[in-house]
Amino acid sequence: MLGQEEKKWAEEILEHVAEKMETVMERCKYKIPYKAVKGVFDDRSGDDKICWWTNGFWGGTMWQMYQLTGKEEYRKQAEWVEEKLDKVLMNAEGLDHDNGFKWLPTSVANYRKTGSAASRNRALLAANNMAGRYNPVGRFIRAWNDWDEDDHRGWAIIDCMMNLPLLYWAYEETKDPRFCQIATAHADTVIDAFIRGDGSVCHIVGFDPETGERLRSYAGQGYARGSSWTRGQSWAVYGFALSYIHTKEQKYLDAAKRVANYFLANLPDSGLVLLDFRQPEDCEWEDSIAAAVTACGLIEIARCCEGRDKKVYLGAAMKMLRTLAEQRCSWDAKVDYFLENCSVAYHCDEIELPIVYGDYYFIEALMKLADKELFIW
């Protein structure tokens, strides 16, 4: 059980979320947003952008709001997003390691909430496709497809830790051990090949796809090779916590704590999370998404702990969430977003802007604290 003080605070913030979201939802009907420009969410529901990796998060937000309020319009919007994603299921290039991000917040959420047979079918199709990306020699799930001139045959990324729950769900649903075997094999490889001695993680690791040999790491979306991209840290914290929840294997909880301890050791006193913990000292770029995702992971770790550890992890999650709510959240109903200062990558033009999955994880963290979450992972 989490603390009553934290629950009361989250319930109060969720009241503000619900008040604003009702207006935002009406304004964003029949959209699949990614980012906001001048306060207005864009739309990636068209055929040219429907395969974008974040396209499940708006549906997930709608399901969490339906869970919170019971209002049917949220369910209808979530189901509309899910149906739009059917085009991705028929597009080989649109299916990749991020199948979990697309169909956990949509089809799995729908199935958990309503028992929809169609949603179950969609999620199983996505899980089977994701399982097919497994490299049995290297024991990793391959990232991306071969776009342009890049060869990703041996690439794996830390983000995939958050996609593994699609495979855990498929195992729980079908009892086919392949799904769990692939998920845990990939998680084991991440422990061995991604987590550094100090608890920081690599974003991308390249393996020889023919032999499985670890070749090198890549900078990815962080500042440089060997740096510490904070959202990568957050994917590991939450992802390993989820692997522990599904398997009860202690090594995954230990890995989650190890990365979390590194994160907290580098968290500024302000509670505002940098884009990369090893970016130049004169750079103050932030990533609010990393704060929200890490808070979700810390809450789950706290649920698995007692005594001092529980207090430390829950306290850190609360510190980041309070900071977001008070300093990096817009409560103005005239704009479509909540979280500000979300960043895509260090070497990217899209620095410190509103991005839809920042809002999703912020709301999910609040729902956890209030004990009202629709668990989708």
Side-chain angles (χ1 to χ4, degrees):
M1 292 290 292
L2 300 175
Q4 289 302 308
E5 180 181 345
E6 292 83 4
K7 182 177 181 179
K8 181 180 178 181
W9 176 82
E11 288 174 341
E12 291 174 355
I13 300 300
L14 282 170
E15 289 179 6
H16 296 300
V17 170
E19 182 179 359
K20 173 173 174 173
M21 185 59 79
E22 190 160 354
T23 300
V24 172
M25 182 268 293
E26 287 293 331
R27 200 161 52 229
C28 294
K29 275 187 177 180
Y30 309 116
K31 275 187 178 183
I32 301 182
Y34 170 55
K35 62 183 179 181
V37 178
K38 296 182 179 179
V40 178
F41 271 139
D42 64 357
D43 180 16
R44 302 220 166 188
S45 65
D47 291 351
D48 59 332
K49 296 180 179 178
I50 192 62
C51 296
W52 188 239
W53 75 274
T54 68
N55 278 0
F57 285 107
W58 183 247
T61 300
M62 296 296 98
W63 278 117
Q64 295 294 357
M65 296 308 300
Y66 179 63
Q67 174 81 354
L68 179 66
T69 69
K71 294 183 178 180
E72 284 296 307
E73 194 57 45
Y74 289 119
R75 179 186 61 79
K76 292 176 182 178
Q77 288 303 303
E79 291 176 342
W80 179 83
V81 171
E82 180 182 358
E83 291 169 6
K84 291 291 288 187
L85 291 179
D86 283 352
K87 291 184 178 179
V88 186
L89 284 173
M90 295 302 295
N91 185 332
E93 288 300 312
L95 294 165
D96 55 25
H97 64 281
D98 281 331
N99 284 4
F101 281 137
K102 298 187 186 89
W103 283 283
L104 281 163
T106 54
S107 294
V108 172
N110 192 347
Y111 178 66
R112 289 191 191 278
K113 188 67 177 174
T114 73
S116 166
S119 295
R120 180 182 185 274
N121 181 61
R122 291 181 176 107
L124 286 174
L125 286 171
N128 274 286
N129 175 270
M130 185 177 164
R133 303 183 69 82
Y134 179 66
N135 182 310
V137 177
R139 292 172 58 84
F140 64 88
I141 294 171
R142 173 188 164 175
W144 297 304
N145 300 315
D146 284 321
W147 292 319
D148 301 321
E149 297 179 359
D150 291 330
D151 183 355
H152 299 129
R153 292 178 302 159
W155 280 23
I157 63 173
I158 196 66
D159 316 40
C160 199
M161 287 302 304
M162 288 298 299
N163 288 290
L164 297 185
L166 180 63
L167 300 182
Y168 292 130
W169 170 83
Y171 166 66
E172 293 158 8
E173 192 63 28
T174 67
K175 305 307 177 187
D176 187 331
R178 294 176 306 137
F179 293 114
C180 190
Q181 289 164 358
I182 289 170
T184 54
H186 180 89
D188 292 347
T189 296
V190 172
I191 291 175
D192 294 337
F194 281 72
I195 303 179
R196 305 182 184 114
D198 63 358
S200 65
V201 299
C202 308
H203 179 199
I204 302 171
V205 171
F207 300 87
D208 184 320
E210 302 291 344
T211 68
E213 177 189 1
R214 186 189 192 279
L215 300 177
R216 57 162 292 174
S217 64
Y218 296 84
Q221 289 166 251
Y223 167 61
R225 182 183 178 189
S227 69
S228 180
W229 178 50
T230 56
R231 187 150 20 101
Q233 309 298 139
S234 75
W235 295 142
V237 171
Y238 196 9
F240 276 112
L242 290 167
S243 280
Y244 173 73
I245 288 169
H246 286 286
T247 69
K248 302 306 178 187
E249 289 281 348
Q250 184 65 36
K251 60 185 174 181
Y252 299 139
L253 182 58
D254 292 343
K257 289 182 175 180
R258 185 175 165 196
V259 181
N261 291 343
Y262 167 83
F263 194 104
L264 298 186
N266 287 274
L267 180 66
D269 291 339
S270 66
L272 298 170
V273 177
L274 299 174
L275 200 168
D276 192 304
F277 282 136
R278 297 174 184 170
Q279 65 196 34
E281 291 185 4
D282 61 351
C283 179
E284 298 180 350
W285 288 340
E286 303 169 16
D287 183 14
S288 294
I289 302 171
V293 175
T294 302
C296 288
L298 293 175
I299 292 168
E300 293 300 343
I301 294 173
R303 283 176 169 157
C304 302
C305 300
E306 297 295 338
R308 181 183 178 278
D309 281 356
K310 187 183 191 76
K311 183 177 180 180
V312 168
Y313 293 123
L314 183 57
M318 285 297 298
K319 179 177 181 177
M320 286 188 285
L321 291 171
R322 284 183 184 275
T323 300
L324 291 176
E326 295 169 5
Q327 300 183 42
R328 293 294 181 266
C329 199
S330 174
W331 300 106
D332 183 356
K334 294 179 181 178
V335 299
D336 292 342
Y337 62 85
F338 287 87
L339 286 196
E340 300 170 334
N341 289 29
C342 303
S343 298
V344 174
Y346 190 90
H347 300 285
C348 177
D349 293 335
E350 295 182 315
I351 302 292
E352 297 187 334
L353 71 160
I355 303 178
V356 71
Y357 60 107
D359 290 352
Y360 173 79
Y361 284 108
F362 178 62
I363 293 170
E364 182 182 284
L366 295 172
M367 294 284 282
K368 288 179 187 293
L369 290 173
D371 198 25
K372 295 181 178 180
E373 173 195 18
L374 172 61
F375 184 77
I376 66 170
W377 303 101

